[in-house]
Amino acid sequence: VGGPPPRRAAYAPHCSIFSRRSARSHRPAAMAHAKMVELLGALGSGNNAERQQAETMYQTAKASEPDTLLLSFAAVLADESVDVAIRQQAATLLRQCVTKGADKDFVFSRMNSGNKQQLAQELVSRFEKMTNPKLQHKVGDIISKLAEAVTDSDDQRGWFAPGQRGWPGLLPTMFKLANAAENGNAACLESSIRVLKDLVSVFEQDMVAAQAQLGAVIQNALSHSDPKIKCAAFVLVCELVGTLEKKAWAPLISTASVLTSVLQQFAQAGLQDELQECLQNYVEIASSEPDFFKQQIQSSMEPAKLLAMLVKTRQGLEEGVRNMALEWMVTYSEKKPKWLAKSVPSFAALVIECCMDLMLEVEDGDDKLKEWAERMDDEEGEEDADELYHFGEEAIDRVVEALGMDVASSSLFTLVGRFSSQDAWQAKLAALTAIKQTVEYAEETEHVNEMAKLLLAHMDHQHPRVRYSALHAIGQLATDQAPQFQETWHSTVMPTLLRKMDDPVDRVASMAMSAFVSFGEELENALMQQYAPNFMQKLVGRLQSSKHRMVLEESITSIAVIAGVIEKDFSQYYDGIMPMLKTLVMNTTGEKENRLRGKAFECMSLLGLAVGKEKFLPDAKEALAAMLQTPTDANDLQREYITEASQRICKCLKADFAPFLPHLLPNLFKSLKLEAEDTTAPKPGDEDDDEQYITVSTGEGKLVKVRSSKFDELLQAVQLLNTYCIEMEEAFFDYVGEVAQNLLPLLDASDEVSMLCDEARSAAFQCWASLIKCARSAATKLNQPPSIANELLRTFLQKICTAMAKDEDPETLKDAADGLAECLRNSGTGVLGGQEVLQLVHQLFQFIDASMQRTIKAEKERQKDKAGAPPELQHDDDDDDHAVEDEDACRRSLEDAIGAVMKIAPQDFLQCLNECQERIGRWLGMKEHRALALFLVADMLEHLKELSVPTWPVVMPGVFACVEDKDADVRIPAAYSMALAAPIPKFAEAAPDAFRKLATLVSGPAPKKRDDQGKVAMDNCVAALFHLARYQSAQCPADIPAWQLVVNKLPLKDDEDEAKKLHKAVCELLLEQHAGLLGPDNAHLGKILSALAEVHKQENLCEKETDAVIEKIFQMLPRDNLLRLASGFSEKQQRKIEKMLC
């Protein structure tokens, strides 16, 4: 009495944790039960040795005593005298043991048939009798997992007995337990409904057949007084809608108004958890089956009105609930934009107002402002603060992108005007933020100008966050509306930005610099020249005087932008700036200075590109030496900056970069190897960082953990190797073999690790193509046979064609086809024999056929889903199918690979001409494959030229019909085919009709700003008309002013490849003083010169060789004549001409 309590005996393992049962006594069974309880306690012990011993015994029991183990778990669950924590542990382990997986873990699969059924019956019985709600939920989870196992048609391991799939008695039992009319136990009722929800996907057809029972469950639960039961029923309805076919869930539309009422009841009662769960499910349905809400929205605007009220409720609702309510509205906007615009036009105003209201939720007060001003934008806490504001900010972008500015502009600009006119700084902040997020979608110049005026009017607002937001929005405006915004507003914006770089709040000043970066990047060279001196003086001053990290970072980036724009003219500042950057690199070694140091490297490399190799080479060596000495781990921000900087330095130095390769390549090769970490030995502190790792099975079957950031590192390494190979050309030849050997594992894709590297594999394919080009070029230069290039190609063909034959993923097939096409093009002629050409083309056509079959199968499944559904659930304009788009892109890339074969072996390809003709004829008759047929036609015209003429009776009628197709994706290759056919003499017969069709299209209405494909189609029509006028002028009908139509559309801007070719051709004809191009009395000359001045030095529209020709043209023209013609040009064009004449 009064002594210490007896100590618990230490857990002692035995050969078996279970004693043999005696037929005459229950004592051994009781002992086994006690030992199971003891084992479960030891598995959760804080004593490592005890826990490890228990784990060993548990694993042994899983392997040798599956029946006894699982039945013992069930017995512990049933024993209410056992501690709840132990019973929960038993439930968790039992759930794992009945879950499908590897044999060693799927313990249920190794039970004998009788015990399998006994366990199933025991679980249902225990579930019904369980008095602890949490345990009841856990047992329900076990039942759901077990149901998946016993009903799996593809895996018989979990069946109760051979040939006995399913669980016949489960669903009727659960219907009974889930029906409030038959079950008065509220806790059991809720758990049963949630089990039913988990069983929907398992017993899909049985659920559909049991509509009466299911309807009774839902009806009685939704009308129940207990909110938990209503919540469970709400979730069940959402699960049914998300899982069943449309025709099966269509009757549930009648519950939509009841579900809205349930949400309202939860909101009024302040039931945040239930409200959050229901809204989460609502959002999932809005995403997967938005048609469920169509009838309700159209008739009453619900649930949108209720959710809008929740968004605007500031008291009594958690932030997560308000965010989730807005998420439903945004998601619905994204899923049904066309239907909403047509059927519910008021929806746009409602959702945009909700976004704006959330953006008012910004914390006020001096302390909060001080905290905001002192926070760096890369520090933690930025997104955590003002969470509602940031969610509204993101949401309004998504809404306007989905609905389009045509639908959203009226409501958007009305609300922006209303908010900006209020005195409260939060309202002004919301208005300016709305502009920042939506200016990308503005199409009307008037709208852009009004936005700019409003932003500039707030540059000197008394509140720093308003000034900051105005500057941020100016930067976004400069990015999204370039170069028109810069050309129109530079004289106002540039002085304003220069002034705001001295804002008394450093964070605002740094944003002024950031806005300058966005504005300046797209500013014309000649315009930047006039502003550069003042900005350089300001930026150097801030760089020397400021201690604020963001000011220093943005000062460096701003200087780099000036260098990038004015190029060689930056030489006057180079000698003063480079030493400052070197000093920064040496002195910025702190953890928080990683980005600053990275930006210094970035600026060094950009300065090098600007001033050229001769001036930069000595400093390049120092910069690279410093980069190589920089310690970088997998997550270090500096790694990305250094990678990009080394790419630029390589582009600048070209072959002179070679001495650095021996120091750089070993680390890159190391990055190509996924050095996995064994899952059995996690590093200290990594236990809670599972999201940073991906567990994969290697080719040897070893289970390993790979840090997810390692995949990004691998991709960067491949891209860097590709850059080195491209830029150094033949100087990289000595490293081709070593690089290829290190890339080879990515081509194999023989295990799960490499398959997870899709992006890196795609980059590796392109890098392999660059290696082939490098090897072939070096062989030519050395007057040697291209044996290495040929070997590289054959290795690629063997690896990739084998992998493609086993692949059914359209995205990875597309990547492989793109790599194959590039490798073929870079190999040159003579590398493939006639039989190899025939075999490869046949295989590529087979891949296309397989893709078409996958599309047909997917369409049949989609039609099956819609069959029998009511009219309001049938197809509408918003229905899309990304799988179809992926397959289309896959087939286009496969066809491009066939075109590459034509290019390198035109004579040998003639044996494939009949198959091409047959397929083109067939595909032209199928709406979904017309574009593919026309791209094949275009490749034949481009690479076979006159040799393709025998196919023209079949293919040309399709080309002429499709050039007028409503689908821009069809018009593009049709017009392109005409352009390619124009130089071929045989096309003279069809030329008059082609002139008429193209003239009608070119003189027609211009495509809308956001109709990207329509604009590309127009560029192709202009290019085709140009080539017709150039090569078939004698066939042009007298009433078609072909040259005038072409000149009026110059320059081309949307199809960049065609633009480069056409602008080059225009220069050639101009030098020839082509009468048609110049027009009567040189009437077209002014417009042509304006277009050439516009595209000069625009890399995306004009090649460097063409830039030189343009400069020659302007220098040849009489100065007086040029000044007269240029008087009507834009300021930018005039300044560019002045620079060309210097």
Side-chain angles (χ1 to χ4, degrees):
V1 178
R7 295 178 61 190
R8 182 169 70 86
Y11 178 72
H14 304 280
C15 294
S16 171
I17 58 173
F18 306 110
S19 302
R20 295 184 179 275
R21 291 187 179 230
S22 168
R24 298 180 180 179
S25 172
H26 293 286
R27 181 171 175 77
M31 289 176 63
H33 180 65
K35 288 195 175 297
M36 172 54 73
V37 172
E38 191 176 357
L39 172 72
L40 290 166
L43 286 170
S45 171
N47 184 307
N48 286 339
E50 186 175 341
R51 187 176 64 253
Q52 288 172 4
Q53 287 178 338
E55 178 65 29
T56 300
M57 292 302 302
Y58 173 54
Q59 295 298 333
T60 301
K62 283 171 63 177
S64 60
E65 303 177 78
D67 296 79
T68 310
L69 179 67
L70 268 58
L71 290 171
S72 296
F73 282 157
V76 172
L77 275 173
D79 189 349
E80 296 196 3
S81 67
V82 176
D83 183 78
V84 171
I86 299 292
R87 296 167 74 195
Q88 288 179 338
Q89 174 83 318
T92 299
L93 295 177
L94 183 53
R95 183 179 184 274
Q96 293 172 359
C97 290
V98 302
T99 299
K100 291 177 298 180
D103 284 339
K104 70 182 183 67
D105 297 317
F106 189 17
V107 182
F108 179 79
S109 67
R110 288 181 277 109
M111 295 180 77
N112 68 48
S113 297
N115 285 336
K116 281 183 176 180
Q117 297 188 51
Q118 180 186 341
L119 177 63
Q121 293 167 1
E122 184 77 11
L123 285 170
V124 175
S125 174
R126 295 308 172 196
F127 174 80
E128 186 174 358
K129 297 174 182 177
M130 196 70 69
T131 57
N132 183 304
K134 287 187 177 179
L135 273 175
Q136 192 170 47
H137 279 307
K138 284 184 173 291
V139 175
D141 288 341
I142 299 170
I143 291 171
S144 301
K145 281 295 176 184
L146 184 56
E148 291 178 16
V150 301
T151 58
D152 190 338
S153 59
D154 298 323
D155 186 352
Q156 298 185 22
R157 293 178 302 159
W159 293 8
F160 285 140
Q164 185 182 337
R165 184 174 74 88
W167 193 343
L170 178 60
L171 207 53
T173 301
M174 297 315 302
F175 275 135
K176 179 180 177 181
L177 294 176
N179 192 336
E182 300 184 52
N183 186 357
N185 184 329
C188 180
L189 184 61
E190 183 206 351
S191 295
S192 301
I193 295 171
R194 291 187 179 277
V195 172
L196 266 186
K197 174 253 182 187
D198 291 336
L199 295 178
V200 170
S201 60
V202 179
F203 295 106
E204 185 173 337
Q205 297 306 316
D206 297 308
M207 290 278 189
V208 174
Q211 283 191 16
Q213 298 98 309
L214 191 59
V217 168
I218 293 169
Q219 184 176 354
N220 292 332
L222 288 175
S223 60
H224 202 280
S225 59
D226 190 325
K228 290 186 179 297
I229 293 170
K230 286 184 176 180
C231 180
F234 191 111
V235 173
L236 172 59
V237 171
C238 291
E239 183 70 17
L240 289 164
V241 174
T243 304
L244 303 181
E245 295 180 356
K246 275 185 166 61
K247 64 181 179 182
W249 63 251
L252 291 173
I253 291 176
S254 61
T255 67
S257 59
V258 181
L259 298 182
T260 302
S261 177
V262 169
L263 287 177
Q264 190 167 19
Q265 293 167 29
F266 289 168
Q268 290 171 346
L271 299 173
Q272 308 278 353
D273 291 343
E274 287 78 6
L275 194 54
Q276 183 97 2
E277 183 181 7
C278 290
L279 286 173
Q280 178 66 53
N281 280 270
Y282 237 28
V283 169
E284 291 173 6
I285 295 306
S287 178
S288 63
E289 292 290 354
D291 289 347
F292 176 75
F293 301 100
K294 282 172 69 174
Q295 191 178 93
Q296 187 188 13
I297 293 175
Q298 196 164 15
S299 62
S300 65
M301 271 293 284
E302 294 292 2
K305 289 199 297 187
L306 171 65
L307 297 177
M309 183 196 74
L310 297 181
V311 173
K312 297 178 181 181
T313 300
R314 294 195 171 195
Q315 301 295 327
L317 281 183
E318 295 176 356
E319 289 186 355
V321 170
R322 297 174 67 189
N323 284 347
M324 197 62 68
L326 181 57
E327 178 60 35
W328 184 93
M329 301 179 75
V330 174
T331 299
Y332 206 80
S333 301
E334 292 172 330
K335 293 297 177 178
K336 307 299 294 185
K338 295 176 183 176
W339 180 80
L340 286 171
K342 181 179 178 181
S343 304
V344 195
S346 58
F347 190 93
L350 186 65
V351 65
I352 291 173
E353 186 172 8
C354 286
C355 296
M356 297 286 287
D357 274 9
L358 274 198
M359 287 192 287
L360 292 172
E361 302 281 351
V362 185
E363 294 180 304
D364 201 359
D366 293 341
D367 290 343
K368 291 295 180 183
L369 178 58
K370 185 173 184 291
E371 181 183 330
W372 174 86
E374 292 177 352
R375 187 187 303 123
M376 304 293 169
D377 63 5
D378 61 345
E379 291 180 343
E380 293 184 4
E382 180 67 15
E383 293 302 320
D384 295 335
D386 306 322
E387 181 183 345
L388 290 171
Y389 164 82
H390 288 301
F391 193 84
E393 177 183 33
E394 176 195 347
I396 198 167
D397 186 338
R398 292 167 57 193
V399 168
V400 177
E401 179 182 18
L403 297 177
M405 195 58 92
D406 287 346
V407 173
S409 59
S410 177
S411 302
L412 175 66
F413 292 125
T414 298
L415 288 163
V416 166
R418 185 202 307 170
F419 276 61
S420 64
S421 63
Q422 296 177 29
D423 292 334
W425 70 267
Q426 292 93 336
K428 296 183 184 297
L429 179 68
L432 302 183
T433 302
I435 290 177
K436 172 177 70 72
Q437 295 298 98
T438 61
V439 66
E440 174 184 358
Y441 314 111
E443 297 186 5
E444 302 296 330
T445 302
E446 181 183 351
H447 289 165
V448 174
N449 289 338
E450 288 303 314
M451 289 176 166
K453 289 175 185 177
L454 185 61
L455 297 175
L456 290 167
H458 287 83
M459 288 293 172
D460 296 310
H461 191 274
Q462 61 184 5
H463 200 285
R465 292 196 64 170
V466 174
R467 302 197 300 274
Y468 180 92
S469 187
L471 287 162
H472 197 173
I474 281 288
Q476 194 64 51
L477 185 55
T479 298
D480 295 331
Q481 298 294 334
Q484 292 81 10
F485 178 56
Q486 282 84 340
E487 293 169 16
T488 305
W489 285 88
H490 69 88
S491 60
T492 303
V493 171
M494 290 291 274
T496 302
L497 295 178
L498 183 67
R499 180 170 55 84
K500 297 311 296 178
M501 288 178 183
D502 284 324
D503 193 280
V505 177
D506 281 330
R507 190 171 181 183
V508 178
S510 71
M511 182 50 71
M513 296 173 187
S514 178
F516 168 78
V517 169
S518 299
F519 196 91
E521 280 179 327
E522 299 298 329
L523 195 63
E524 174 52 44
N525 175 298
L527 294 176
M528 179 65 87
Q529 291 275 8
Q530 71 183 82
Y531 296 111
N534 289 336
F535 274 91
M536 285 301 299
Q537 182 180 359
K538 177 75 69 181
L539 293 166
V540 170
R542 300 259 28 201
L543 198 55
Q544 291 173 330
S545 63
S546 180
K547 301 297 183 183
H548 192 272
R549 180 160 57 84
M550 284 169 59
V551 170
L552 294 175
E553 290 172 358
E554 296 302 334
S555 295
I556 292 171
T557 307
S558 298
I559 290 170
V561 164
I562 294 174
V565 174
I566 66 175
E567 298 177 320
K568 295 283 186 182
D569 292 316
F570 191 81
S571 297
Q572 59 186 305
Y573 306 110
Y574 181 89
D575 292 334
I577 297 298
M578 187 57 74
M580 296 174 64
L581 295 175
K582 292 178 185 177
T583 301
L584 269 174
V585 167
M586 288 188 295
N587 295 337
T588 52
T589 56
E591 182 180 350
K592 290 187 176 182
E593 295 176 315
N594 281 348
R595 188 166 75 168
L596 178 57
R597 197 165 192 261
K599 282 184 173 286
F601 286 133
E602 176 186 60
C603 190
M604 285 179 173
S605 63
L606 287 166
L607 264 57
L609 280 177
V611 301
K613 178 172 66 175
E614 291 72 18
K615 190 170 185 64
F616 180 55
L617 185 56
D619 294 317
K621 294 177 180 178
E622 290 186 44
L624 282 165
M627 291 180 197
L628 290 170
Q629 293 169 8
T630 302
T632 56
D633 60 29
N635 295 313
D636 195 347
L637 182 65
Q638 282 189 72
R639 189 188 72 231
E640 186 173 347
Y641 279 111
I642 289 173
T643 297
E644 293 176 357
S646 64
Q647 285 179 310
R648 294 189 199 96
I649 294 174
C650 181
K651 288 179 181 179
C652 177
L653 301 187
K654 302 293 185 183
D656 289 328
F657 192 78
F660 303 108
L661 286 180
H663 305 286
L664 293 166
L665 291 182
N667 283 333
L668 291 177
F669 293 154
K670 184 179 178 181
S671 295
L672 294 178
K673 294 176 173 58
L674 291 174
E675 295 176 348
E677 301 171 34
D678 197 320
T679 55
T680 60
K683 293 181 178 179
D686 284 347
E687 291 84 348
D688 297 328
D689 294 334
D690 286 344
E691 70 279 0
Q692 296 182 12
Y693 290 89
I694 298 174
T695 302
V696 291
S697 176
T698 66
E700 296 78 30
K702 184 181 179 183
L703 191 67
V704 295
K705 269 187 175 181
V706 177
R707 186 177 287 274
S708 56
S709 59
K710 186 71 177 177
F711 295 99
D712 294 331
E713 183 182 340
L714 192 155
L715 174 61
Q716 287 181 357
V718 177
Q719 292 171 334
L720 200 52
L721 287 170
N722 193 35
T723 298
Y724 294 164
C725 184
I726 292 171
E727 297 299 332
M728 293 176 63
E729 299 177 325
E730 295 89 354
F732 194 76
F733 177 65
D734 291 341
Y735 302 95
V736 166
E738 190 179 6
V739 172
Q741 194 65 38
N742 281 274
L743 288 177
L744 203 56
L746 283 170
L747 267 59
D748 280 327
S750 57
D751 57 43
E752 193 176 353
V753 174
S754 53
M755 286 303 293
L756 283 167
C757 307
D758 286 347
E759 283 189 84
R761 290 188 72 229
S762 178
F765 298 159
Q766 298 302 316
C767 186
W768 199 275
S770 299
L771 294 177
I772 291 174
K773 185 176 183 179
C774 175
R776 188 172 185 84
S777 178
T780 302
K781 190 173 182 179
L782 296 170
N783 198 27
Q784 295 176 354
S787 54
I788 294 178
N790 293 350
E791 181 184 350
L792 287 170
L793 176 65
R794 295 190 184 284
T795 300
F796 190 89
L797 287 171
Q798 189 271 320
K799 299 284 185 185
I800 296 308
C801 290
T802 301
M804 291 174 75
K806 301 174 184 177
D807 197 358
E808 292 189 349
D809 185 327
E811 293 185 62
T812 54
L813 280 167
K814 178 188 185 305
D815 290 341
D818 289 340
L820 176 58
E822 196 65 18
C823 286
L824 288 168
R825 281 190 282 263
N826 288 351
S827 297
T829 58
V831 68
L832 294 180
Q835 189 60 34
E836 290 174 310
V837 167
L838 189 64
Q839 183 179 348
L840 180 55
V841 171
H842 180 66
Q843 191 171 20
L844 290 169
F845 274 133
Q846 284 185 320
F847 293 152
I848 291 175
D849 291 339
S851 172
M852 289 179 175
Q853 287 303 312
R854 290 193 297 269
T855 300
I856 291 171
K857 182 180 178 181
E859 180 59 26
K860 285 180 179 178
E861 290 175 356
R862 193 165 78 155
Q863 292 304 321
K864 179 183 175 183
D865 180 47
K866 291 179 177 293
E872 64 270 19
L873 298 184
Q874 295 295 338
H875 178 85
D876 63 29
D877 292 341
D878 291 306
D879 288 347
D880 56 11
D881 192 338
H882 295 298
V884 172
E885 294 174 3
D886 290 342
E887 292 289 2
D888 283 343
C890 172
R891 292 191 287 269
R892 175 68 190 93
S893 291
L894 289 166
E895 185 284 321
D896 188 48
I898 294 173
V901 178
M902 293 184 206
K903 180 177 182 179
I904 66 168
Q907 287 293 334
D908 287 321
F909 191 88
L910 294 181
Q911 60 188 319
C912 307
L913 215 52
N914 287 337
E915 183 175 7
C916 290
Q917 178 177 304
E918 185 275 326
R919 286 176 176 276
I920 290 167
R922 179 153 41 92
W923 294 347
L924 284 172
M926 306 163 73
K927 180 180 178 182
E928 62 272 24
H929 299 317
R930 284 176 191 162
L932 183 67
L934 292 166
F935 277 115
L936 185 54
V937 171
D939 275 326
M940 289 164 52
L941 290 166
E942 181 176 4
H943 302 304
L944 306 182
K945 298 181 171 56
E946 286 86 352
L947 297 176
S948 69
V949 170
T951 68
W952 285 16
V954 172
V955 305
M956 279 302 170
V959 171
F960 276 73
C962 289
V963 80
E964 297 174 311
D965 198 282
K966 291 182 179 179
D967 187 350
D969 287 329
V970 174
R971 295 198 304 275
I972 291 168
Y976 183 51
S977 296
M978 286 187 172
L980 294 168
I984 301 174
K986 184 67 175 175
F987 195 67
E989 300 172 18
D993 191 21
F995 270 112
R996 291 196 180 278
K997 288 181 181 292
L998 291 170
T1000 300
L1001 291 166
V1002 171
S1003 60
K1008 291 186 177 181
K1009 182 177 178 181
R1010 297 190 70 187
D1011 182 8
D1012 293 333
Q1013 290 301 91
K1015 292 188 287 187
V1016 170
M1018 177 61 78
D1019 276 5
N1020 276 269
C1021 288
V1022 173
L1025 189 56
F1026 172 90
H1027 290 297
L1028 273 175
R1030 182 179 188 180
Y1031 295 108
Q1032 302 287 352
S1033 58
Q1035 310 305 321
C1036 182
D1039 59 332
I1040 302 294
W1043 282 115
Q1044 183 180 338
L1045 290 172
V1046 169
V1047 170
N1048 287 341
K1049 289 292 185 178
L1050 294 179
L1052 302 190
K1053 293 185 177 181
D1054 297 292
D1055 187 328
E1056 296 181 355
D1057 288 337
E1058 284 305 296
K1060 290 175 183 177
K1061 290 186 285 187
L1062 185 69
H1063 299 148
K1064 178 182 179 181
V1066 167
C1067 289
E1068 291 170 354
L1069 294 189
L1070 202 55
L1071 288 174
E1072 296 172 9
Q1073 298 187 37
H1074 190 279
L1077 175 66
L1078 289 169
D1081 298 324
N1082 293 340
H1084 301 158
L1085 182 58
K1087 173 62 176 170
I1088 294 169
L1089 293 176
S1090 172
L1092 295 180
E1094 182 70 24
V1095 301
H1096 181 250
K1097 290 291 182 104
Q1098 290 196 33
E1099 292 182 5
N1100 59 325
L1101 301 177
C1102 194
E1103 295 174 342
K1104 287 187 176 181
E1105 295 79 6
T1106 308
D1107 284 335
V1109 178
I1110 291 173
E1111 291 165 11
K1112 179 180 177 181
I1113 288 170
F1114 278 99
Q1115 290 165 1
M1116 288 171 58
L1117 288 168
R1119 189 63 58 94
D1120 292 344
N1121 191 26
L1122 179 57
L1123 290 175
R1124 178 180 58 80
L1125 290 170
S1127 62
F1129 293 1
S1130 69
E1131 179 189 2
K1132 179 183 79 171
Q1133 292 167 2
Q1134 290 178 350
R1135 289 186 178 275
K1136 289 174 79 170
I1137 293 170
E1138 289 174 7
K1139 187 167 180 61
M1140 281 189 267
L1141 297 178
C1142 291

